[in-house]
Structures are given as C-alpha cells and as structure tokens.
Amino acid sequence: MDPRLLRTLISVARWESFSGAAEELGYTQSAVSQQIAALEAELGLPLLRRRPVRLTEAGARLLEHAGPLLLRIEAARADVRRAAAAPAHRLTIAASPLAVTPSVAGRLARARAAQPRLHVELKTAGRDGAATEVAAGRAELGLADGITAPSDPLRLPDTGPMTALGIAEEELVVALPPDHPLAGRSGLRLADLADAAWLQTSSCPLERLRQLVGDGFRHGLAYAGDDVHTVLNLVRAGHGLTLLPASVGEGVPLLGPRLVHRVELLHGALPGGPAAQVRDALAARPEAG
C-alpha cells in the first residue's frame, strides 16, 4: 500500500474536501481524486462518498490504520539513519509537560556539565507525542510521564522498536480549591472524590482514572493546554479537581489507591557519543521525584 496514497486519504478526511487536501499537499485537485481512486481500486472498496465528502465505513477503518502505518514507516527510516549516524554535538529531547521533574532536571544538568560543548534543545510534546517525535527521528530522546500503578509501564503508542525505561516515580497529590471542605485533610482517597467534578487534562485524563479506579469522576472543564500554572488556577477557581505529582507542591497527598506519577525515558538505537551519554545519565539511578 503506497504511503503517499494513505497521506492523501488522511488529508481528504481531515478537510472533508478534495480541494482542501490538494492545497495542503501541493497537488492538483484531479491528482488527489486519482490517488483516492487508485487506493479504492487496490482495496476494491469505496473509501469516500463524494457529495458531501465523507468517509465510508471501510474508509473510516482504513483511516484508523493509516496514521500508525505511516508512523511505523517514518520510524523505520529514522531508526536506520540513527544506526548509521555519526555522533553529533546537538541533542533534541521531546518531553511531555510534567516529565521534567526536579530529579530528572538535576540528572540532565549533571549530564550537560559533563559535556559542556553539547547543545541541548528541550521541546514540549504530549505523552504520545514524545514517543512519536523519537520514532520519527525529530528527537534523539523522549521523556514521557503519566499516572500509573507503581512500576507499571506507561501505555504509549506502538511506534516500532523503542526502549522505554522508567527513570522516576513520585507520589501524587489531589489539587483542590483552597476553600474545599477536604482541603485541610492530611490525605485523601479517590473513592471519596469520585462524585466530584474533575478537570480533563493531558496529564490526568479522566478515562485513565476510570480504568485505574472505577466509575465516577464527573467531567468538569476540559483543558487542552500543558501549562501547570493554568491547571492550578482552574482548580483554585473551582472548575474541577485533578491529580498532580507531589513536586508541583500544591495538594493533599493521595492515600489510595496506590498510584504514582511515572516518568519514562524513550529512545531508539543510539550510536555511541553525546546522546548515549545523556541517556545513561538520565537512566543512571531511578529515584523519587
């Protein structure tokens, strides 16, 4: 299956328009139409209804596979290039918003001090985005964080061969408005808060809480950003509760169930050199925080 045709299908589905896809991809509208027709001929099924432009059931199923397939192809290219690349003195790290805990930041500082000529760029990506950036070769290392049971790995997208190593775990706190009746407690259990309104955030998705704990966790406000100060301001204003790593510093300790904030270091094949040395420094000694 031609990756170029899959990219065209994704673009048409996103725009719900052949002309919109043509403009995005730099093709003529007739070229887009021909590529979709070629894909439909290969599969022997209609993938799109034309007026208006909508995915058929078969098209929707193919679209579910298209993104992961293209990512795996991109990851394979990047993995081969990494294996043959000469060590460089530039390093890009893709990190999800709460992955750079004090412990991780300290280890990164020690790694940089040991390699003063190394230029490091740290860029923010979502948890899944950190894995995608590494798989696609746009970052040598990734740092992904999430809520999980102690020592349980994070659920990351399938991006092909990639090492994911837990490098930090810390306790969680429940962030509450200052005037909340439970704000003065020495500890809280999630079962006591299942009927409360909760923020929907990338760092504390409600579906993950329901998977780990059970039903409840009423939807409050959805925040699609990644700034922790905004999250805390929303909590203080009463838009909903959330869970945060204890190092953030505001909240009541979570007593049960036993959950932690986990950080994982992600990387593909790395040639010996600066990137591998930073990896070793970050992975050196898992510790709280």
Side-chain angles (χ1 to χ4, degrees), residues 9 28 57 179 204 206 243 245 251 261:
L9 176 67
T28 64
E57 183 175 348
D179 58 351
C204 182
L206 299 188
L243 293 179
H261 174 254

Side-chain angles (χ1 to χ4, degrees), residues 107-118 277-278 281:
R107 280 182 258 177
L108 180 58
R110 290 191 289 274
R112 292 185 60 231
Q115 300 186 72
R117 293 179 55 221
L118 180 64
Q277 292 173 34
V278 173

Side-chain angles (χ1 to χ4, degrees), residues 93-108 122-127 130 142-146 154 167-170 203 226 245 247-248 261-266 282 289:
I93 303 174
S96 52
L98 297 179
V100 185
T101 65
S103 167
V104 172
R107 280 182 258 177
L108 180 58
L122 181 68
K123 62 180 180 180
T124 301
R127 185 189 65 185
L143 293 167
D145 76 287
L154 299 177
I167 62 169
E169 287 187 358
E170 67 173 306
S203 59
D226 54 27
S247 58
V248 171
H261 174 254
R262 178 178 173 89
V263 179
E264 291 185 359
L265 173 65
L266 315 175
L282 289 172

